[in-house]
Amino acid sequence: MATLAKPNLPRFDVEIFQNEYLADGAREVNAIVTVTATGGGTSGGRPLGIADAGGPQSADTAAAVVILVDCSGSMDYPKTKINGAREATAAAIDALRDGTAFAVVAGTHEARDIYPGDGTLATASATTRGHAKESLRRLTAAGGTAMGTWLAKADKLFLTRRDIAIRHAVLLTDGNNEHESAVDLERAVERVSGHFTADCRGVGTDWRIDELRKISSALLGTVDIVAEPSGLAEDFRSMMAGAMGKQVADVALRIWTPANAAVKFVKQVAPAVEDLTARRAEAGPRAGDYPTGSWGDESRDYHVCVEVPAASIGNEMLAARISLVLPPQVGSGTPEVLSQGLVKAVWTDDLASSTRISPQVAHYTGQAELASSIQEGLEAHRAGDVDTATSKLGAAVRIAHATGNEGTYKLLQKVVDVVDPKEGTVRFRKNVSEADSMTLETRSTKTVRVKK
């Protein structure tokens, strides 16, 4: 583990958990990389997340937020949805710290910024928060749904404040993206990826999990269901508190491998499973950057798998060097290295050493299997394949029980009757609500940390 403290940045610590011993001829090295950020501050230097654009700026302007509210016609049925959306947006506005740049957008088959309404971002203060909440009466339900246009509007608004690097959107919808094609949405997501992060929420049960997961995954945010409109305000308040806690943006996990070695996959495995493998950006000879988004005081775990050239007994090599880096600031061609850790490989003929599985690797391999078992089980059930569905959700119950994932275990119990949790013996419950089924699928990727 190495820690490199930088002025005005959180302290980043990297810990590597692995079994470095490989059997003769083995080539695959697995490691869990725990990254912890603590103690960020803003005094005495450039604000966190703000590029150097010609001198010091106030730390209060270190974040920009755009709230995207579905105002399609279906939000009026029942009317509690649009009313709940107004209340939730007001709660989010109240949670903005002074100096935050922000806007509110009404999303239908087009996108209209209702506050400040002039194509720019307002600066949060008691006065602007009050005016913004007054403008929420213009959130009225009429029209269609085209989320790609909402994302494009957010991107355009964020671009009016290029000096701010911490940029976050909140997207709320109640329905399918039926007024643009899947290809159009995918193109819109690709165009804005890397420009800002986004948390997505679906209210009710008539929206599609895969659509919101596509957006939140690409934009390094979260996705969740709010089954009842009455729960929106508290959820928005919580999301905004998280956004206000971010202290530094655009942190990348940089992985360097030696000659003839290659990264097989990189996955975030806590607090949720997210495959980052395809997000690699080349970063020099034998190095690649994997985006992690914005950080506050928090800890995350990543599963890194590296394929190395086979070696003889007694050989030892550095399999990977893992760094946390920030992109170069204006006027500098060198990225800031925040912390580093090393992944090693040692070939041995000691069977006990080479067959021992790292507890951290085993745990998170199980959490990834838990998520896929739930998703595959519910998909099979929708297709009418009850046998496969029962088998998959039984496996999910067994893993959740064994790994102490109590939150997921309780959600599973709303969908299946558990006969034997250790064996994963279950029966589907009769009359399972759509909300319970969607909640289980939406939250299937949430994990628990490995027991120390």
Side-chain angles (χ1 to χ4, degrees):
M1 176 184 73
T3 303
L4 305 177
K6 296 285 184 180
N8 309 316
L9 290 175
R11 170 193 172 102
F12 279 86
D13 293 299
V14 170
E15 292 181 274
I16 305 292
F17 299 95
Q18 67 164 131
N19 175 18
E20 61 191 45
Y21 293 101
L22 302 179
D24 185 19
R27 299 187 58 194
E28 192 173 284
V29 181
N30 287 276
I32 298 300
V33 181
T34 296
V35 180
T36 304
T38 54
T42 59
S43 61
R46 71 176 169 87
L48 299 180
I50 296 191
D52 183 0
Q57 302 173 43
S58 167
D60 288 339
T61 61
V65 173
V66 175
I67 305 169
L68 306 167
V69 184
D70 188 342
C71 290
S72 62
S74 60
M75 286 289 286
D76 229 5
Y77 301 97
K79 192 171 280 293
T80 51
K81 284 194 287 189
I82 194 65
N83 291 338
R86 292 192 196 100
E87 293 172 8
T89 305
I93 291 168
D94 281 336
L96 296 170
R97 65 170 178 261
D98 282 353
T100 300
F102 77 103
V104 179
V105 172
T108 57
H109 51 281
E110 56 187 7
R112 179 170 52 94
D113 50 321
I114 65 164
Y115 188 83
D118 58 359
T120 69
L121 298 174
T123 301
S125 65
T127 300
T128 58
R129 279 192 289 267
H131 290 163
K133 287 189 287 184
E134 288 174 8
S135 75
L136 299 184
R137 65 180 182 274
R138 295 201 294 274
L139 292 178
T140 56
T145 304
M147 287 181 267
T149 65
W150 311 355
L151 297 172
K153 172 64 78 172
D155 196 36
K156 189 173 182 179
L157 290 167
F158 284 129
L159 284 172
T160 67
R161 291 299 306 272
R162 294 174 184 267
D163 56 312
I164 301 178
I166 297 180
R167 300 177 294 271
H168 189 75
V170 172
L171 186 154
L172 172 70
T173 187
D174 78 324
N176 299 337
N177 196 52
E178 56 191 9
H179 286 83
E180 65 182 358
S181 69
V183 171
D184 287 339
L185 176 59
E186 188 168 343
R187 286 174 179 165
V189 171
E190 287 178 357
R191 281 194 294 269
V192 304
S193 290
H195 297 185
F196 57 91
T197 58
D199 289 328
C200 299
R201 294 296 182 266
V203 60
T205 59
D206 293 328
W207 53 281
R208 284 178 51 182
I209 296 172
D210 61 331
E211 287 181 344
L212 290 199
R213 199 185 296 282
K214 181 191 295 291
I215 297 170
S216 66
S217 177
L219 302 185
L220 300 173
T222 63
V223 60
D224 206 350
I225 180 175
V226 183
E228 296 297 330
S230 58
L232 283 172
E234 182 55 39
D235 189 73
F236 269 47
R237 195 175 292 115
S238 176
M239 276 193 292
M240 203 51 60
M244 293 295 95
K246 300 303 183 184
Q247 300 161 319
V248 59
D250 301 325
V251 178
L253 193 71
R254 176 166 294 180
I255 302 179
W256 173 91
T257 51
N260 301 318
V263 176
K264 192 170 182 180
F265 64 76
V266 178
K267 297 177 183 178
Q268 178 185 286
V269 288
V273 177
E274 187 67 60
D275 194 340
L276 302 175
T277 310
R279 307 287 295 275
R280 178 185 174 105
E282 296 305 318
R286 301 194 302 277
D289 284 352
Y290 300 84
T292 68
S294 301
W295 287 74
D297 282 1
E298 59 188 296
S299 183
R300 305 179 200 169
D301 292 338
Y302 299 88
H303 185 174
V304 175
C305 180
V306 178
E307 202 165 67
V308 296
S312 302
I313 299 300
N315 280 15
E316 180 176 341
M317 71 174 290
L318 175 62
R321 182 173 62 244
I322 297 175
S323 309
L324 267 291
V325 300
L326 277 176
Q329 298 303 309
V330 175
S332 168
T334 305
E336 292 185 70
V337 179
L338 305 174
S339 193
Q340 288 185 342
L342 304 177
V343 178
K344 300 176 182 178
V346 180
W347 282 266
T348 180
D349 57 2
D350 180 0
L351 188 62
S353 295
S354 64
T355 57
R356 186 176 69 248
I357 300 175
S358 163
Q360 287 81 6
V361 172
H363 174 82
Y364 286 122
T365 300
Q367 295 295 289
E369 184 184 349
L370 171 61
S372 62
S373 293
I374 290 171
Q375 293 167 18
E376 291 169 13
L378 291 174
E379 180 63 31
H381 191 253
R382 284 192 291 269
D385 186 350
V386 177
D387 289 343
T388 298
T390 303
S391 174
K392 291 291 185 180
L393 292 187
V397 164
R398 175 177 50 78
I399 297 168
H401 176 73
T403 60
N405 194 329
E406 295 180 5
T408 299
Y409 186 79
K410 289 177 180 177
L411 293 176
L412 282 160
Q413 286 181 302
K414 293 183 178 182
V415 176
V416 295
D417 287 320
V418 179
V419 179
D420 186 339
K422 290 184 178 180
E423 296 296 326
T425 307
V426 302
R427 290 190 299 263
F428 261 93
R429 296 172 68 96
K430 294 181 179 179
N431 303 318
V432 174
S433 74
E434 186 66 16
D436 285 340
S437 179
M438 288 184 68
T439 300
L440 173 60
E441 185 170 3
T442 304
R443 299 178 184 172
S444 61
T445 57
K446 293 187 176 182
T447 60
V448 291
R449 306 299 290 271
V450 64
K451 295 177 182 178
K452 300 294 185 182

